Amino acid sequence: MASKASGKTVDLPGFFADLVRCETRLYNALNDRLRERHGIVTSQFEALRYLRDHPESRVADLATEFAIGIGATSKTVDRLERQGWAVRQPNPSDRRSSLLALTNDGSQLVDAAEKTFTDAVAELIGGTLESSSASAAAQALSKLRSVLERNQVGTPTG
């Protein structure tokens, strides 16, 4: 299956394979770096960063952001709580849900890990792609993500 873009034919199955394999390798490399330097993995870092940047989020908000199920998200938050990095607090406007907050330890951890994360991404992507290629890829992926999210494509049901 191919697609025509700007008069050029694109091998969409090949594009998909490259996209997924790049994501997996980048995620694994970031896992290794974050685990080595901070004792966390990429998914924990991303959840902590989201909670830092979106105070009073709910489990459902994280699930929506990361396109994962509520159950998996709740287990992630359980692990963050056990580590002392996040807490659930009563939601005054909805007793059925909790608001999530970082603890001081969680806040310090995500702030320290952010430099490691940013440096590793710059090394892995910026060190490989020219600025114009990285910019074009970022724009294309941002557009694709926006369309998928707007159309609720790939949104978990549970």
Side-chain angles (χ1 to χ4, degrees):
M1 173 178 264
S3 172
K4 287 222 175 219
S6 305
K8 297 179 184 177
T9 301
V10 177
D11 170 20
L12 292 177
F15 172 76
F16 175 82
D18 287 344
L19 179 65
V20 170
R21 298 323 174 268
C22 284
E23 186 273 340
T24 301
R25 290 176 184 279
L26 289 169
Y27 214 86
N28 290 343
L30 291 165
N31 271 343
D32 293 346
R33 191 82 52 96
L34 288 167
R35 186 181 296 115
E36 171 190 306
R37 296 193 182 158
H38 305 282
I40 62 174
V41 293
T42 308
S43 60
Q44 292 170 318
F45 169 74
E46 287 191 296
L48 292 169
R49 184 173 58 175
Y50 184 86
L51 293 177
R52 180 197 63 198
D53 296 345
H54 301 87
E56 298 189 346
S57 293
R58 299 166 302 131
V59 167
D61 298 325
L62 269 82
T64 298
E65 171 65 18
F66 298 112
I68 57 177
I70 295 285
T73 306
S74 186
K75 286 179 184 177
T76 296
V77 173
D78 290 345
R79 289 183 200 103
L80 297 177
E81 280 189 300
R82 276 195 301 275
Q83 293 293 331
W85 299 330
V87 293
R88 284 180 167 98
Q89 302 170 332
N91 184 344
S93 63
D94 183 356
R95 292 179 8 177
R96 296 168 297 164
S97 72
S98 299
L99 300 178
L100 306 173
L102 291 181
T103 63
N104 286 338
D105 286 349
S107 183
Q108 290 174 6
L109 175 60
V110 72
D111 289 346
E114 185 147 43
K115 179 165 178 20
T116 299
F117 178 85
T118 302
D119 290 350
V121 168
E123 174 188 323
L124 294 164
I125 297 173
T128 303
L129 298 177
E130 296 174 11
S131 180
S132 61
S133 294
S135 179
Q139 288 176 339
L141 291 174
S142 179
K143 181 177 181 178
L144 178 58
R145 177 181 175 180
S146 292
V147 169
L148 293 172
E149 288 177 353
R150 182 179 62 240
N151 296 329
Q152 297 183 327
V153 174
T155 302
T157 57

